[in-house]
Amino acid sequence: TNCRDIIPHHVQREMQQEVEKTKRNVDKACPLVKALVASSGMQVYDILTDFVYTSLKETIGTFGRPLQPKGQMMAEHEMRLSSFKAQEQQRLQQDMHISRNTTSSIRKDVSLHTTSTDWSALTQISIRDLNLYDSHEGKFIEGDLLIEPFTPMVGTTTILEDSNGDVILIALYNFLPEGIFGDAAVPVASAKIPKGATVRIAAPFMKVFRDGSRGLRIDNPNDISVVSSSKTIGWKDERHMVHEAKKFGNQFVATQKYLSASEAYIGGLRAADVVPTMLSNRSQAYAMLGDWGRSLADAAASLTMRPANKKTWSRYQAALARILEEDKQNGSDPVWIINKLLPFEADAQANETDTAGKDILGLKNQGNAAFKQKQFKTAAELYTSALLSFGETERALLSNWALCCLRTDAHLDAVAASVASLRIRPEAKAVVRLAMATHSLGQVELCVNILEETDGSIFEGSPASKEREQLLKDAKSIRAKLLKIPLTEVRISSHDLNEHKYLPQWIGNIETFRAGSKGRGVRATKYLNAGEVVLLEHPLASASMDGLEKSKDSLYTIDKNVVKDASHSFLCQAIVLRSQREAVLSRVVDCLFDGTNARPLTSFCNLIPNLSSCPVFLPTHHEYHPEEVKVVLNSDRVDAIVSTNSHGSKVCSLGLKAADSLWKGSDAALYPAVSMFNHSATPTCELDFKDGFARVFVRADVKAGEELSLCYHPDENVVRRTWLK
């Protein structure tokens, strides 16, 4: 299996080294050749050149060598690092295209349904107790990381030393977003598993890697936990980390790697302490003034950066409870609360006389002193002056994170990040990003209110003003169609949407239902006219290949006897990574059919996130949903769900000719609501995409109660011909 999976690697080496291809007269009795034919078919004979065959024999010669002592393993790591940097420099100088592949054929067997790891139920073992190709269920190992994580191609590697002084190589997959590797991966990987950290690995699986060495393979990020980190930071270190996070995040944005940028920005926000403290303190000052809307928004902004602070949580909950008391009908409605905050404007302008010669800590202390003297308004103004004068980097991190959330369809997180940014200082880009997020979530009226009621001077001279104009135009146009009463009478035709750049999520007169042997399906709740739109949906998650095209990079995954293209690999990776952080995404993906296990009937409102899907003004992350049982999505289940439900990715049987077309792939996305429609060779509905946005409309008149269907194949004629045969 190892030899079969690394054949593409050796073929690529042969091409890069411009070795003359010499077809060998293959000995069909050779045990290796017989095994490869049994695994992959007769096509093996076409690709076993002298170079490839010799390389495979060399692989076998060092396969499974014993674990090495610490000094030798560290020396080999330095050699790998130097070799990679030399190859990368050569690639950049010669403008070479790089093709990367990973194999998931030899890995720990896991079930499609798992629960979060109960570390207290596991028994510790040491490296010397590990057995090759054993999952060691019910066990864990613990140790210190000796190096900064290194990502040469696909997997992120590090070295762990246990209490006995034994060392082992670790390779983590589905660990970094968007296939980042090399120097670009360092800041993101180091933020997760820094050198010197003590980690635990559940059910450690030891295998033999491509180079013949033994090590641990981790496919599910849930299987590794950081127990402690040796890093402690002061004020100057905090500022350095925040500024570095902004720099790395901006570099990722420039290459369209928005998930990687999000990781960098979030890492910088988690390092911040003084700015979230001032927001929390100002929240309490507003509470004492009875301004519960601003108190709630400030507490939420603080928690968005620093989610574990108990004092801020109590302030958030107190403000939310008082708002609910003010209006029991609307108090828990996030739309109503956001409207209470309008217009977005600075609470007070920084006074140059007040801030001259002072630093942020001095202003914070002044604010604390004023609060103790019950001068709550003065305290709020001092905190505001400090935020306006010294919180600019955190504000930029939040606003930039909101942009990345919009690019990765994490619209609820975009709302939280935008509101938090605006609580530090109102700024045009953050206002537009908040409006875009609410519009995408189907809150068109709120989007219009945000754009119209915000002080127009904020947009003067800002590049965001053009986006504001276009968004406002589209939102007003859509609003005119959506404001009909009752809402169930709203009907949108496909023609109504053609000229709109920005579209909201929208569920028409349809519902999910039990469709007998077909499982779940979709049916009309009212008579539908031909051309009527029944669903508008943003993808829950997507993978764009634009960044790979520009960087001359490509990636594919070998899984047993199939090859999966880059978009499939990246989409799975994105969902696995985001599910580690995002509770709402995990909850929705968990509702989808994985091709094996039937799922309960789910309504559309549970498949399309909305403002009520998470606490007001807070991100969708698991820290903000402590009452929920964490949904764990391992890589196997995500792969099965993506294979069953996604649009755009490709999978084919293993073979060099097939793999050649999969190295780049196409964009792929997951649309949970669209996936509820069953397939038909003669569908009642049509699906099209505009800028990644899915639109479903009926082809002919449909009666109430009639099932709605789609053709899953892009060419319906092919489907009909196959069906007729």
Side-chain angles (χ1 to χ4, degrees):
T1 303
N2 184 285
C3 286
R4 179 198 69 194
D5 291 349
I6 63 174
I7 284 177
H9 168 70
H10 290 313
V11 170
Q12 183 187 354
R13 285 179 57 218
E14 185 177 35
M15 293 168 60
Q16 289 177 342
Q17 296 179 22
E18 297 181 351
V19 177
E20 183 179 350
K21 291 187 178 182
T22 305
K23 289 283 183 72
R24 64 181 299 111
N25 187 13
V26 176
D27 179 5
K28 296 183 179 181
C30 171
L32 173 60
V33 175
K34 289 170 68 176
L36 289 172
V37 170
S39 175
S40 304
M42 300 294 290
Q43 60 186 330
V44 166
Y45 294 129
D46 296 329
I47 54 179
L48 281 181
T49 62
D50 277 340
F51 180 88
V52 172
Y53 186 73
T54 302
S55 298
L56 291 177
K57 288 203 299 182
E58 290 174 354
T59 298
I60 293 174
T62 59
F63 186 81
R65 58 183 180 271
L67 292 173
Q68 299 165 327
K70 179 178 177 180
Q72 189 173 346
M73 187 171 288
M74 295 294 285
E76 281 201 3
H77 166 71
E78 291 299 323
M79 290 175 60
R80 287 195 198 100
L81 197 60
S82 299
S83 175
F84 170 78
K85 289 185 175 180
Q87 290 175 9
E88 184 65 6
Q89 186 175 8
Q90 180 185 12
R91 181 178 79 87
L92 294 174
Q93 289 175 347
Q94 298 180 8
D95 197 27
M96 296 167 57
H97 186 100
I98 183 171
S99 178
R100 299 179 288 141
N101 75 80
T102 178
T103 170
S104 55
S105 301
I106 310 173
R107 55 196 169 94
K108 180 167 62 178
D109 289 329
V110 295
S111 63
L112 292 182
H113 294 279
T114 61
T115 56
S116 49
T117 303
D118 181 5
W119 293 94
S120 63
L122 303 182
T123 304
Q124 185 172 356
I125 59 174
S126 60
I127 292 174
R128 61 187 62 173
D129 298 323
L130 295 173
N131 297 314
L132 198 58
Y133 301 116
D134 188 339
S135 296
H136 300 95
E137 294 295 334
K139 311 291 185 182
F140 77 91
I141 64 169
E142 180 175 311
D144 299 329
L145 302 182
L146 301 181
I147 61 172
E148 290 293 350
F150 168 53
T151 310
M153 282 295 173
V154 181
T156 297
T157 61
T158 185
I159 297 174
L160 179 142
E161 180 180 26
D162 69 8
S163 57
N164 296 322
D166 294 327
V167 294
I168 191 167
L169 186 70
I170 298 173
L172 301 102
Y173 295 86
N174 303 302
F175 188 67
L176 299 178
E178 300 160 320
I180 57 173
F181 70 104
D183 291 340
V186 172
V188 178
S190 294
K192 292 186 172 189
I193 48 169
K195 176 182 178 181
T198 301
V199 301
R200 288 179 176 176
I201 300 171
F205 177 72
M206 183 165 69
K207 64 167 287 186
V208 178
F209 293 121
R210 175 182 291 173
D211 65 356
S213 63
R214 301 186 184 203
L216 298 181
R217 172 168 178 142
I218 302 175
D219 282 276
N220 294 296
N222 281 311
D223 288 345
I224 185 168
S225 174
V226 176
V227 178
S228 64
S229 175
S230 61
K231 292 185 177 180
T232 56
I233 62 172
W235 164 245
K236 290 185 178 179
D237 292 328
E238 174 190 330
R239 300 321 299 160
H240 175 73
M241 292 176 67
V242 170
H243 284 287
E244 285 293 290
K246 179 184 176 185
K247 181 182 76 173
F248 288 125
N250 291 351
Q251 289 173 354
F252 284 130
V253 168
T255 56
Q256 301 179 18
K257 295 187 182 298
Y258 299 110
L259 282 176
S260 303
S262 290
E263 290 290 325
Y265 293 140
I266 292 171
L269 292 169
R270 293 292 184 267
D273 183 67
V274 177
V275 168
T277 296
M278 285 189 298
L279 284 165
S280 180
N281 290 355
R282 191 173 68 175
S283 168
Q284 186 64 7
Y286 280 134
M288 301 306 294
L289 293 169
D291 191 340
W292 299 108
R294 284 183 169 79
S295 177
L296 178 72
D298 275 352
S302 178
L303 290 170
T304 296
M305 290 184 271
R306 194 177 56 181
N309 190 275
K310 294 181 179 179
K311 186 183 290 186
T312 308
W313 267 111
S314 66
R315 291 168 179 172
Y316 174 88
Q317 291 162 348
L320 189 60
R322 293 301 292 266
I323 289 174
L324 185 58
E325 286 178 15
E326 286 181 11
D327 190 327
K328 292 187 178 180
Q329 182 176 353
N330 298 311
S332 59
D333 181 8
V335 175
W336 183 76
I337 297 173
I338 292 177
N339 276 318
K340 275 177 66 72
L341 292 178
L342 298 176
F344 286 113
E345 57 186 7
D347 300 270
Q349 294 299 319
N351 188 312
E352 292 184 8
T353 304
D354 292 340
T355 59
K358 299 175 183 175
D359 60 18
I360 193 170
L361 298 177
L363 287 167
K364 173 190 150 189
N365 293 334
Q366 269 192 296
N368 292 348
F371 187 93
K372 288 179 180 178
Q373 296 171 11
K374 298 186 178 181
Q375 298 173 358
F376 304 121
K377 184 178 180 181
T378 301
E381 289 174 351
L382 284 165
Y383 294 139
T384 298
S385 293
L387 289 168
L388 289 168
S389 300
F390 302 103
E392 180 58 24
T393 304
E394 283 83 351
R395 183 209 63 74
L397 284 175
L398 287 162
S399 183
N400 291 352
W401 177 30
L403 169 67
C404 294
C405 292
L406 290 172
R407 295 289 188 269
T408 55
D409 310 298
H411 300 108
L412 288 169
D413 287 345
V415 170
S418 298
V419 169
S421 175
L422 291 166
R423 294 309 301 154
I424 296 174
R425 178 174 68 83
E427 183 265 341
K429 290 180 181 178
V431 172
V432 171
R433 287 163 187 170
L434 174 61
M436 283 183 177
T438 56
H439 184 270
S440 297
L441 291 165
Q443 296 295 336
V444 180
E445 179 69 17
L446 177 57
C447 168
V448 173
N449 291 347
I450 291 170
L451 295 175
E452 287 192 331
E453 296 189 30
T454 298
D455 186 357
S457 63
I458 289 177
F459 296 99
E460 291 179 2
S462 170
S465 60
K466 288 185 178 180
E467 284 185 300
R468 173 185 178 273
E469 292 173 6
Q470 181 65 54
L471 178 58
L472 188 58
K473 177 183 175 183
D474 287 353
K476 284 184 174 181
S477 175
I478 291 290
R479 179 180 65 172
K481 299 176 177 64
L482 297 184
L483 286 183
K484 295 179 181 178
I485 302 297
L487 198 59
T488 53
E489 295 302 318
V490 176
R491 295 177 184 267
I492 305 174
S493 72
S494 55
H495 177 73
D496 293 331
L497 306 176
N498 290 337
E499 295 182 359
H500 290 81
K501 179 180 179 181
Y502 300 102
L503 293 172
Q505 297 197 137
W506 164 254
I507 305 169
N509 297 309
I510 57 175
E511 66 180 3
T512 56
F513 77 108
R514 280 290 175 194
S517 61
K518 293 185 288 186
R520 299 176 293 187
V522 179
R523 65 187 175 193
T525 58
K526 286 181 174 291
Y527 189 92
L528 302 176
N529 298 313
E532 186 173 339
V533 174
V534 294
L535 181 66
L536 299 174
E537 185 181 15
H538 284 282
L540 182 70
S542 58
S544 172
M545 298 299 100
D546 289 344
L548 289 185
E549 291 287 343
K550 293 181 179 179
S551 62
K552 293 182 179 279
D553 180 18
S554 54
L555 174 72
Y556 61 97
T557 300
I558 302 171
D559 186 0
K560 297 183 171 62
N561 282 328
V562 299
V563 184
K564 301 171 182 178
D565 74 349
S567 62
H568 181 100
S569 302
F570 281 8
L571 182 56
C572 290
Q573 195 179 70
I575 293 172
V576 170
L577 285 169
R578 288 178 59 184
S579 71
Q580 306 305 307
R581 197 185 292 280
E582 299 176 32
V584 174
L585 176 138
S586 302
R587 188 193 311 153
V588 175
V589 174
D590 186 52
C591 294
L592 301 181
F593 181 50
D594 56 29
T596 303
N597 301 287
R599 306 300 294 148
L601 185 63
T602 307
S603 65
F604 280 120
C605 64
N606 291 326
L607 294 170
I608 297 181
N610 56 73
L611 281 176
S612 299
S613 299
C614 59
V616 182
F617 296 155
L618 292 177
T620 64
H621 301 175
H622 292 288
E623 301 101 311
Y624 308 105
H625 299 258
E627 74 288 349
E628 283 190 19
V629 176
K630 183 177 180 181
V631 175
V632 176
L633 298 172
N634 62 47
S635 58
D636 281 347
R637 181 150 185 245
V638 169
D639 180 82
I641 288 171
V642 169
S643 298
T644 306
N645 299 279
S646 70
H647 293 264
S649 61
K650 299 177 185 176
V651 177
C652 73
S653 59
L654 181 63
L656 266 293
K657 292 182 179 178
D660 190 51
S661 67
L662 293 170
W663 286 348
K664 292 184 179 180
S666 57
D667 292 355
L670 184 66
Y671 300 88
V674 171
S675 71
M676 293 294 108
F677 289 79
N678 284 316
H679 167 75
S680 173
T682 56
T684 56
C685 296
E686 188 165 327
L687 170 66
D688 69 4
F689 299 94
K690 180 182 179 183
D691 299 326
F693 202 95
R695 306 184 296 182
V696 180
F697 56 90
V698 293
R699 293 177 145 186
D701 293 358
V702 174
K703 296 178 182 179
E706 185 177 342
E707 181 175 3
L708 303 176
S709 57
L710 293 168
C711 180
Y712 290 177
H713 195 280
D715 189 340
E716 289 180 26
N717 291 325
V718 172
V719 177
R720 290 194 187 96
R721 285 196 297 269
T722 303
W723 182 80
L724 287 171
K725 289 179 183 178

